[in-house]
Amino acid sequence: MDLLLAGQSPPILGVGLIGSGSAQAAQVISNDQLSQRVDTNDEWIRTRTGIGRRRVSTPGQSLVDLAAEAGRSALTMAGRSPQDLDLILLATSTPDDLFGSAPRVQAELGATNAVAFDLTAACSGFLFAVVTAAQYLRTGAMRRALVIGADQLSRFVDWDDRRSCVLFGDGAGAVLLETTHQDGLLGFQLQSDGSRGAVLNLPAVDISAPLVDGAEHRAGGYRPIEMNGQEVYKFAVREVPAVLQSLLKRCDVSPDQLDWLLLHQANQRILDAVADRLSLPRTKVLSNLSSYGNTSAATIPLMLDEAVRDGRIRSGDLLASSGFGAGLSWGAALLRWQGPA
Ligand code: COA
């Protein structure tokens, strides 16, 4: 999918980002606690990743619980009611139900006028979902969309694999989009490359089971996350600056015009490398990795919500955002935060 610039055909209506929300998993697990389980230590994890702790859901806390709480809080900030929603898009790779968890979120919220469905693009999912929702709004087909990024990778992490388990956590974040005169999605560029996808997977089990005489079926279930950390790292530090630079150029925006860089929170070293490549001061790079680790589709809206609520991001601020991860998938969007009226 290629770039769409505001002001070029076919945008009809602007898309405003008018509210944000987030929800956190109940348990805090520190690096020191993880070292009880695998051969690691706080210093290694902090130095290599910037992560100090992560949040992990309790067995009683569902993905739908997290997603609904984040969505509710975005609605409250925006001053809109659940019945005002036309669309709920849930970006997740870890639904409670493989048939889709968005309709359960819709029911929890009481958003009786909204159609709701899941979208899966791993850690790029939230950005892909914002762009997808915006298309419904631009055409006038819908007026308001709640975009939620929520993941519980703790269910699929191999907690005995120190190379990956230290990176991930659970969480949810949400943004409310509404048609407005001032456009908040100034451009985007989304990319996929399945030929390189083997470096990061949450694969289905590959087991045959007997069905009837002479026939077998493929058994259900998934294996834990499999990751080649160094290859994923190289992918991120090559592709993320490239997609951001391409987007900014096509939007005729220079990096120094940005108020914030809002990247998928995977590793502090990746955030720093991208900022350096764009010649952006580290003070403009939003990071909450130390508290949450990588919460997959939730990182970008979780970070956005935190910075909106503590006053760092203000109405009118210009943000360059980039998501990247399994697929491989990656992308960037140029956003202007509007906030509630
Ligand atoms: N604690 C202590 N030691 C660890 C460790 C841990 N948690 N994980 C790995 N090590 C060890 C390795 O076994 C290796 O030891 P060896 O040299 O004796 O074999 C050593 O540390 C270096 O491992 P390496 O894999 O080269 O480290 P790295 O500098 O590449 O850092 C990652 C590993 C995973 C932190 C890094 O590659 C990374 O962040 N990649 C991107 C992953 C990511 O973001 N995934 C999600 C994308 S959406």
Side-chain angles (χ1 to χ4, degrees), residues 38-41 44-45 48-49 123 162-164 166-168 200 227-233 264 266-267 269-270 294 324-326:
V38 288
D39 181 14
T40 191
N41 57 75
W44 192 97
I45 302 172
R48 303 280 178 132
T49 71
C123 299
R162 70 174 183 174
R163 291 167 303 138
S164 60
V166 299
L167 301 176
F168 299 107
L200 181 54
M227 185 185 72
N228 180 331
Q230 289 185 2
E231 287 304 316
V232 175
Y233 186 90
H264 168 53
N267 182 320
R269 284 156 59 209
I270 295 175
N294 179 347
F324 54 92

Side-chain angles (χ1 to χ4, degrees), residues 22-44:
S22 56
Q24 288 157 17
Q27 304 174 99
V28 179
I29 308 291
S30 69
N31 292 341
D32 284 336
Q33 284 173 291
L34 269 191
S35 69
Q36 297 164 14
R37 172 96 183 216
V38 288
D39 181 14
T40 191
N41 57 75
D42 181 61
E43 209 244 321
W44 192 97

Side-chain angles (χ1 to χ4, degrees), residues 5-340:
L5 293 175
Q8 290 186 338
S9 61
I12 300 168
L13 297 164
V15 176
L17 288 75
I18 64 163
S20 66
S22 56
Q24 288 157 17
Q27 304 174 99
V28 179
I29 308 291
S30 69
N31 292 341
D32 284 336
Q33 284 173 291
L34 269 191
S35 69
Q36 297 164 14
R37 172 96 183 216
V38 288
D39 181 14
T40 191
N41 57 75
D42 181 61
E43 209 244 321
W44 192 97
I45 302 172
R46 279 184 195 275
T47 313
R48 303 280 178 132
T49 71
I51 297 166
R53 55 190 181 277
R54 71 283 301 138
R55 303 194 71 122
V56 173
S57 306
T58 52
Q61 191 174 30
S62 71
L63 190 280
V64 169
D65 292 340
L66 285 172
E69 188 185 332
R72 207 175 284 117
S73 115
L75 282 162
T76 304
M77 180 190 285
R80 300 288 181 260
S81 85
Q83 287 83 14
D84 293 332
L85 293 174
D86 302 308
L87 172 68
I88 298 174
L89 261 188
L90 174 62
T92 188
S93 305
T94 53
D96 292 332
D97 185 330
L98 272 187
F99 287 152
S101 285
R104 296 296 301 274
V105 174
Q106 179 229 26
E108 283 284 318
L109 293 176
T112 45
N113 299 314
V115 63
F117 58 94
D118 292 14
L119 182 153
T120 300
C123 299
S124 311
F126 177 77
L127 216 60
F128 281 32
V130 165
V131 170
T132 303
Q135 308 314 308
Y136 290 95
L137 270 54
R138 282 209 193 290
T139 58
M142 293 180 178
R143 177 113 207 272
R144 270 181 217 99
L146 181 63
V147 180
I148 306 172
D151 265 311
Q152 281 185 325
L153 286 183
S154 63
R155 284 157 44 205
F156 296 100
V157 163
D158 177 352
W159 288 106
D160 295 313
D161 176 9
R162 70 174 183 174
R163 291 167 303 138
S164 60
C165 77
V166 299
L167 301 176
F168 299 107
D170 302 335
V175 165
L176 190 63
L177 303 180
E178 186 173 277
T179 51
T180 55
H181 295 301
Q182 280 193 327
D183 201 18
L185 177 60
L186 305 176
F188 65 85
Q189 188 166 324
L190 309 180
Q191 295 182 228
S192 308
D193 183 1
S195 71
R196 289 190 274 163
V199 297
L200 181 54
N201 299 107
L202 202 175
V205 292
D206 209 5
I207 301 172
S208 303
L211 178 60
V212 291
D213 281 350
E216 293 179 325
H217 71 94
R218 201 174 169 202
Y222 290 84
R223 297 207 304 267
I225 292 171
E226 296 169 358
M227 185 185 72
N228 180 331
Q230 289 185 2
E231 287 304 316
V232 175
Y233 186 90
K234 282 192 249 170
F235 147 69
V237 297
R238 186 169 53 237
E239 301 294 1
V240 175
V243 74
L244 281 164
Q245 280 166 335
S246 166
L247 176 67
L248 292 176
K249 189 161 173 235
R250 295 180 70 179
C251 292
D252 202 19
V253 168
S254 67
D256 60 346
Q257 289 175 273
L258 297 172
D259 294 297
W260 299 106
L261 192 58
L262 174 59
L263 302 182
H264 168 53
Q265 309 280 303
N267 182 320
Q268 188 61 45
R269 284 156 59 209
I270 295 175
L271 303 192
D272 294 343
V274 175
D276 291 350
R277 193 74 66 84
L278 296 178
S279 302
L280 268 182
R282 302 264 168 98
T283 48
K284 286 194 174 183
V285 183
L286 295 165
S287 173
N288 61 9
L289 265 164
S290 63
S291 306
Y292 299 106
N294 179 347
T295 55
S296 192
T299 65
I300 291 176
L302 197 58
M303 182 67 255
L304 176 78
D305 186 49
E306 189 178 311
V308 165
R309 285 177 195 269
D310 69 20
R312 272 177 290 173
I313 295 179
R314 291 179 295 187
S315 183
D317 277 2
L318 188 62
L319 295 88
S321 186
S322 177
F324 54 92
L328 296 173
S329 62
W330 67 102
L334 187 62
L335 306 169
R336 195 176 293 285
W337 173 254
Q338 181 176 330

